Amino acid sequence: MKILLVNPPHPSIGSRIPREHLPPLGLLALGGPLLDAGHQVRLLDAEFGPMSLDQIVSQTRDYDPDAVLLGHSGSTSGHPSASRIVQAVRKLLPHAWIVYGGVFPSYHWAQIMEQEPGIDFMVRGEGEETIVRLVTALEQRRGLETVPGIVFRAGTIPGPARSGEPLASLEENSPKHSRIEPLNQRENSCGAVLDSLAPSEGERVGVRGFPFPVRGEVKATPPAPVIRNLDACRVGWELIDHRRYTYYGKRRAVVVQFSRGCPHRCHYCGQHNFWRTWRHRDPVKFAAELARLHHEHGVELINFADENPTASRPAWQAFLEALISHNVPLILIGTTRAGDIVRDADILHLYKRAGVARFLLGLESTDDATLQAIHKGSTKAIDREAIQLMRKHGIISMAAWVAGFVQEKDCDYWRTLRQLLSYDPDQVQALYATPHSWTPFAVQEARHRVVQTDLGRWDYKHQVLESSQVPNWRVLLWVKLIEAVCQLRPRSLRRLLLHPEPRFRAGMRWYSNIGRRVWLYEIAQWLFFDRRTRHGPTLAEFLKGAWATRQNRPSELALDGPRAGGDHGGNDIRNDQAPRTGETVDSNPSPV
């Protein structure tokens, strides 16, 4: 089949302020298996520009694909953009299949299928194997119920091209009843599905005998099996021009994923439920791939999309040693836990030798009671020690602090400022608690009012819930004050200007340059552009689908022209590629 992967333009601050772009790992992770299965695949990355809706439609029409696949790592705030593209493409190409996936669609598939009649299929969860199975079923006109992990409309007729034929015509190509057959997993192939899609006679049942859930005219097959061998599903790096993707100071960059999932169960995060189990790639093979990207494509910067790449000390140490053996001058940045840094105190020299330049530490709060309430599994003492250890080894520490996990008072913000100054991190990233429906945090906050009903603003850099103890405008002032004081304190400026290591200074300078622009941009957005409501729905009402009635706001997505935007530091923001809040970093590689 002729397939077009579409990366929608994203309205988040992190996508607009940096004049640099990272490749869409999630879509590339689908592209590799599709190419290996013999399909013709092209990537349309609408983040460049960003492209207008007319440009996206024009390029889609010129390519004339059999199937259009949409997805975005920041899938909650990116959903309005994807929705507009779906509507425009459906009018233009009625014969093309439209497939949509990501974290947000995986959990809100029922509402999306009801609200977006132009979508034919949705992929839930990891997408590499599922998309190959789905496309194979379409090409071979096999029963769609045999494909685990998808959502589709009753009466959909599988075929190489979308058809308006009546359902009766399907009976010639598919039996009336089918069930999920055991997957013939092969050691070195992604999907392992070409021999496992044949429908068989029997009762229409799902995995372990559970019936397929039906929501009116929409069917959802059982979840796809977890991908155990992550090395079997290669990333389609050939789909991009590496010269166009830079980060961290115009360095040629890629996003990668060493592991998936997280062994921890933080209250505000959906990583554990989405990925279901923590897994990692073969450390030696992964290091060899990074070295190859450097030698063949000139890649200099590796941005880890993992929420917790260091979860297994043996696996992580094996990767570091393997990468050191390749002797490639790569710069590694990513996110990890403070506890892992403290655990690895005796091998942090390997971090440095392998090229680790910066790690974001999800401190989340500077209050032990709050850390316990959100099930963080860390303490102030551990967080402080991790920052000190990173400084000792010349690795930039970025402390991520989140406002809104509890209903803070003015005294709480003052205490937070004092605690952050005592931690003395090199950089600070301030975010706002964002309660996604698939997290326990959303249940906790269900009765609170939503003040930001524009889904495109649910990017961790906008307040979305009403603050009952401190007016929301004063929360903004506190957050901006904390950022300014932490970034402009003498110790931080001294490291920025006088640190003996040039690479360290460059990393500090890059973040500082972006931070200044973002700081002003966020205040301007609050004053002149953001639309908030004083009498919004409760969070429970909003997450049940009230967001759908509010998707057409001009502020939410300006697809008819370039936009400004900003983030404290670009794609490090843990959005839906990320995470701790439940969606995952410029990264969710596996969802469509």
Side-chain angles (χ1 to χ4, degrees):
M1 290 181 69
K2 194 176 181 181
I3 298 171
L4 182 65
L5 307 174
V6 178
N7 186 35
H10 197 264
S12 74
I13 293 174
S15 296
R16 297 282 70 88
I17 282 292
R19 298 188 181 95
E20 300 175 295
H21 294 282
L22 288 166
L25 177 59
L27 292 173
L28 296 181
L30 302 180
L34 287 170
L35 288 168
D36 291 346
H39 301 288
Q40 181 180 341
V41 183
R42 177 180 294 183
L43 171 69
L44 175 58
D45 193 347
E47 279 278 49
F48 285 100
M51 294 176 62
S52 68
L53 183 59
D54 287 343
Q55 290 173 318
I56 296 171
V57 169
S58 175
Q59 293 198 27
T60 302
R61 180 183 60 241
D62 292 344
Y63 186 61
D64 192 24
D66 298 314
V68 177
L69 278 55
L70 298 99
H72 199 290
S73 62
S75 59
T76 295
S77 52
H79 174 69
S81 174
S83 176
R84 290 195 178 189
I85 294 173
V86 165
Q87 295 169 20
V89 170
R90 173 52 66 227
K91 293 179 181 178
L92 180 70
L93 300 175
H95 66 278
W97 297 108
I98 295 181
V99 187
Y100 183 35
V103 181
F104 183 78
S106 291
Y107 289 96
H108 289 272
W109 57 267
Q111 296 111 313
I112 294 174
M113 289 295 278
E114 178 182 357
Q115 297 149 9
E116 298 295 341
I119 295 176
D120 298 299
F121 302 98
M122 294 180 64
V123 172
R124 297 180 296 131
E126 293 178 299
E128 293 96 330
E129 292 187 341
T130 301
I131 194 61
V132 175
R133 293 176 181 132
L134 174 59
V135 173
T136 301
L138 293 175
E139 276 200 318
Q140 300 180 6
R141 300 179 186 274
R142 304 288 182 89
L144 296 173
E145 290 90 347
T146 64
V147 183
I150 65 169
V151 177
F152 63 97
R153 303 179 195 283
T156 299
I157 304 172
R162 189 171 183 264
S163 171
E165 301 174 47
L167 178 61
S169 65
L170 179 59
E171 297 180 359
E172 301 175 3
N173 300 305
S174 180
K176 292 182 179 180
H177 304 285
S178 59
R179 63 185 176 88
I180 300 295
E181 289 294 314
L183 298 176
N184 299 326
Q185 294 290 347
R186 293 195 295 269
E187 182 70 19
N188 296 313
S189 62
C190 182
V193 297
L194 298 184
D195 300 323
S196 64
L197 282 174
S200 59
E201 296 296 335
E203 183 182 1
R204 187 187 301 271
V205 296
V207 173
R208 297 192 181 95
F210 289 104
F212 293 108
V214 177
R215 302 291 186 270
E217 294 299 312
V218 175
K219 294 184 177 182
T221 63
V226 168
I227 300 175
R228 296 292 178 179
N229 182 8
L230 296 179
D231 293 291
C233 300
R234 74 175 186 87
V235 177
W237 296 117
E238 63 267 47
L239 293 172
I240 64 172
D241 180 352
H242 285 271
R243 295 171 297 182
R244 302 184 69 196
Y245 293 94
T246 63
Y247 197 61
Y248 210 63
K250 296 299 180 181
R251 290 180 170 87
R252 194 169 297 186
V254 294
V255 179
V256 300
Q257 195 177 43
F258 175 60
S259 65
R260 290 185 180 176
C262 184
H264 305 280
R265 302 198 179 197
C266 300
H267 193 57
Y268 51 86
C269 179
Q271 286 284 307
H272 182 84
N273 289 335
F274 184 82
W275 300 110
R276 291 185 277 176
T277 182
W278 188 85
R279 299 148 280 152
H280 65 82
R281 291 189 53 184
D282 181 282
V284 175
K285 291 180 180 178
F286 183 65
E289 180 178 349
L290 300 191
R292 181 180 62 80
L293 287 170
H294 173 74
H295 291 305
E296 296 181 6
H297 301 288
V299 171
E300 305 169 87
L301 188 283
I302 304 297
N303 188 2
F304 282 80
D306 312 41
E307 183 63 18
N308 197 188
T310 59
S312 167
R313 174 180 165 123
W316 181 248
Q317 182 174 350
F319 159 69
L320 294 175
E321 292 172 343
L323 188 59
I324 290 170
S325 71
H326 285 283
N327 193 30
V328 286
L330 291 172
I331 298 174
L332 313 182
I333 62 175
T335 300
T336 192
R337 291 175 63 91
D340 289 0
I341 295 294
V342 175
R343 178 202 68 196
D344 291 347
D346 60 324
I347 63 168
L348 285 178
H349 64 284
L350 296 180
Y351 282 55
K352 185 66 174 180
R353 287 183 59 196
V356 175
R358 187 190 74 190
F359 261 136
L360 181 149
L361 303 176
L363 310 186
E364 322 308 355
S365 175
T366 59
D367 177 65
D368 278 335
T370 301
L371 291 173
Q372 184 176 4
I374 63 177
H375 300 170
K376 179 62 183 178
S378 187
T379 65
K380 293 189 296 182
I382 291 175
D383 294 342
R384 184 179 289 107
E385 184 179 358
I387 291 171
Q388 293 171 352
L389 286 169
M390 292 176 68
R391 175 159 304 119
K392 179 180 177 181
H393 289 84
I395 300 172
I396 295 175
S397 61
M398 175 184 286
W401 164 69
V402 181
F405 278 141
V406 296
Q407 291 295 322
E408 293 101 339
K409 301 178 182 179
D410 288 306
C411 59
D412 296 315
Y413 288 111
W414 176 247
R415 185 188 67 249
T416 294
L417 174 58
R418 295 177 61 188
Q419 288 285 353
L420 285 174
L421 290 175
S422 71
Y423 286 5
D424 192 25
D426 299 311
Q427 299 169 347
V428 172
Q429 180 182 103
L431 306 173
Y432 297 102
T434 305
H436 295 291
S437 63
W438 49 90
T439 64
F441 181 54
V443 178
Q444 171 188 308
E445 300 296 316
R447 296 183 179 180
H448 281 93
R449 293 284 175 183
V450 173
V451 297
Q452 182 51 266
T453 57
D454 178 347
L455 204 61
R457 295 288 189 256
W458 281 53
D459 61 358
Y460 304 92
K461 295 299 289 180
H462 294 83
Q463 297 179 61
V464 299
L465 291 179
E466 181 181 30
S467 174
S468 59
Q469 300 293 332
V470 178
N472 286 85
W473 64 265
R474 204 154 77 226
V475 173
L476 174 73
L477 293 183
W478 272 116
V479 170
K480 295 297 104 181
L481 173 65
I482 290 170
E483 288 178 330
V485 172
C486 289
Q487 300 295 92
L488 296 176
R489 70 193 192 281
R491 288 183 179 181
S492 180
L493 294 176
R494 185 163 59 249
R495 293 171 198 139
L496 171 69
L497 301 173
L498 303 176
H499 194 278
E501 185 181 341
R503 180 176 290 184
F504 190 102
R505 292 198 306 271
M508 293 287 290
R509 184 168 57 251
W510 178 82
Y511 186 81
S512 177
N513 289 339
I514 291 177
R516 289 197 303 269
R517 292 154 52 202
V518 170
W519 195 87
L520 294 172
Y521 180 85
E522 288 184 359
I523 293 176
Q525 284 286 303
W526 174 278
L527 293 175
F528 304 114
F529 300 103
D530 287 349
R531 298 182 180 182
R532 294 169 298 280
T533 176
R534 294 183 179 179
H535 306 288
T538 65
L539 178 63
E541 294 169 340
F542 186 75
L543 294 179
K544 285 180 180 178
W547 47 267
T549 63
R550 307 168 186 271
Q551 284 191 44
N552 296 320
R553 292 187 170 195
S555 64
E556 180 178 52
L557 179 63
L559 274 180
D560 52 352
R563 306 181 293 287
D567 175 8
H568 51 287
N571 291 357
D572 283 313
I573 187 166
R574 290 162 301 164
N575 49 29
D576 298 309
Q577 219 143 54
R580 303 192 177 267
T581 36
E583 299 203 65
T584 195
V585 157
D586 288 352
S587 51
N588 261 354
S590 44
V592 176

